[in-house]
Amino acid sequence: MSIKPNLKEYLQNIDIIEYLKKLDVKDFDDLINGIKYFSENEAAKRDNIILSYFGEEGLSRIIESITGYLLAPPKLEAKSKILDVGCGSGYFTINVAKKVREQLPKASFYAMDVTPAMLSTLVSKTDEIIPFIGVAENISGSINLARKYVKIPRKFDAIFSTLTLHHCREVERVFESIENVLRKNGKAIIIDLCTHPFKEFKEEMGDIHLGFDPSFIEKEAKQFFKKVYIKRMAGIGCKCSGRVADLFIAYLIL
């Protein structure tokens, strides 16, 4: 598997404003400001930032949890296509792909993010994952636009998303969007922050939501998935300057 030669040019020269207009995103200015924030403040050092949040043990547990659910029933086929939504610089994408390919060496991995600079960082680290620009609230539309530049499927066998949901204004649309691009019996794994009191995260980290109550996530997910399993990830949280926000993991089956 390798990226098309013009993909780097696509990531570096895309007119992101026109691109997002075609995806009919809401809160357009906020999203553009978020892209600017992550391009200038985090893209080049994102891996180190998440290491500082979770530590090596915490990151290992997140990766093992995602991998475990990807390999849990319903069983993925040998040539499954797996998408990371909101991949950032690809830390989780790359490490989950390595783990999954130990059992499914022919699995294909794809990575979507709204920030081109993040995807450029991913491309600099590997050519074994296919990245494309897109928004979580409209994955199918994102795919349709990206297929002009890179070969990606319209449907996936599995999707995972790590610490992206709290950056998405329309949570219900994210679940609907994921459902739209999953094959029958497909699965999704979402890890994100539980409700926390740190309002300053909106300014410091570009967050939109101050985490989520797992019961809210369960209610939203059940509108689109026939099986929904949610639990807190005991003993692991996002640690920043003495502030700790717990995590939850949701396992969704279409």
Side-chain angles (χ1 to χ4, degrees), residues 141-184:
S142 302
I143 290 170
N144 289 337
L145 281 180
R147 282 169 65 90
K148 299 175 183 179
Y149 306 95
V150 61
K151 186 176 181 180
I152 49 178
R154 297 188 188 278
K155 295 280 187 177
F156 296 88
D157 301 284
I159 289 173
F160 65 97
S161 182
T162 312
L163 301 171
T164 293
L165 196 62
H166 66 277
H167 290 293
C168 301
R169 194 167 296 278
E170 299 178 279
V171 173
E172 181 178 333
R173 280 192 66 191
V174 174
F175 286 114
E176 182 179 19
S177 178
I178 291 172
E179 179 209 25
N180 286 340
V181 297
L182 277 176
R183 293 197 174 102
K184 185 178 180 180

Side-chain angles (χ1 to χ4, degrees), residues 17-123:
I17 292 177
E18 290 302 316
Y19 200 93
L20 295 178
K21 284 180 178 178
K22 292 177 181 178
L23 293 175
D24 193 29
V25 300
K26 296 182 180 180
D27 300 296
F28 186 84
D29 290 339
D30 288 345
L31 187 54
I32 292 296
N33 287 335
I35 292 170
K36 182 179 180 181
Y37 169 85
F38 284 108
S39 297
E40 294 178 353
N41 295 287
E42 293 201 9
K45 52 187 179 182
R46 180 63 179 173
D47 290 3
N48 289 331
I49 290 173
I50 60 173
L51 177 62
S52 70
Y53 287 165
F54 298 101
E56 291 185 5
E57 181 180 354
L59 291 177
S60 179
R61 284 189 57 195
I62 291 171
I63 293 163
E64 292 291 344
S65 295
I66 296 170
T67 303
Y69 280 113
L70 286 174
L71 297 175
K75 186 177 181 180
L76 292 176
E77 296 181 358
K79 294 184 178 181
S80 287
K81 295 174 172 57
I82 302 168
L83 171 64
D84 183 1
V85 170
C87 64
S89 57
Y91 181 89
F92 293 110
T93 331
I94 291 169
N95 285 285
V96 169
K98 288 179 181 177
K99 291 284 187 181
V100 170
R101 284 175 174 153
E102 290 175 5
Q103 296 193 37
L104 300 173
K106 295 183 179 180
S108 300
F109 278 81
Y110 303 81
M112 188 191 83
D113 201 273
V114 73
T115 304
M118 288 286 192
L119 295 175
S120 292
T121 301
L122 168 60
V123 168

Side-chain angles (χ1 to χ4, degrees), residues 156-254:
F156 296 88
D157 301 284
I159 289 173
F160 65 97
S161 182
T162 312
L163 301 171
T164 293
L165 196 62
H166 66 277
H167 290 293
C168 301
R169 194 167 296 278
E170 299 178 279
V171 173
E172 181 178 333
R173 280 192 66 191
V174 174
F175 286 114
E176 182 179 19
S177 178
I178 291 172
E179 179 209 25
N180 286 340
V181 297
L182 277 176
R183 293 197 174 102
K184 185 178 180 180
N185 296 319
K187 63 175 73 176
I189 301 99
I190 295 175
I191 293 178
D192 215 288
L193 303 175
C194 295
T195 305
H196 62 78
F198 307 120
K199 295 181 180 180
E200 62 271 24
F201 280 15
K202 292 187 176 184
E203 291 295 328
E204 294 178 13
M205 304 180 191
D207 293 2
I208 291 175
H209 300 278
L210 299 179
F212 304 95
D213 188 311
S215 63
F216 168 78
I217 297 297
E218 181 178 22
K219 179 182 177 182
E220 294 295 306
K222 281 185 173 179
Q223 297 182 69
F224 306 102
F225 295 86
K226 63 183 181 182
K227 294 182 180 180
V228 176
Y229 308 95
I230 299 179
K231 65 179 182 179
R232 287 178 178 263
M233 300 183 73
I236 180 173
C238 179
K239 302 170 185 174
C240 179
S241 302
R243 299 160 297 184
V244 180
D246 293 338
L247 299 181
F248 70 84
I249 185 166
Y251 182 44
L252 317 173
I253 302 174
L254 193 59

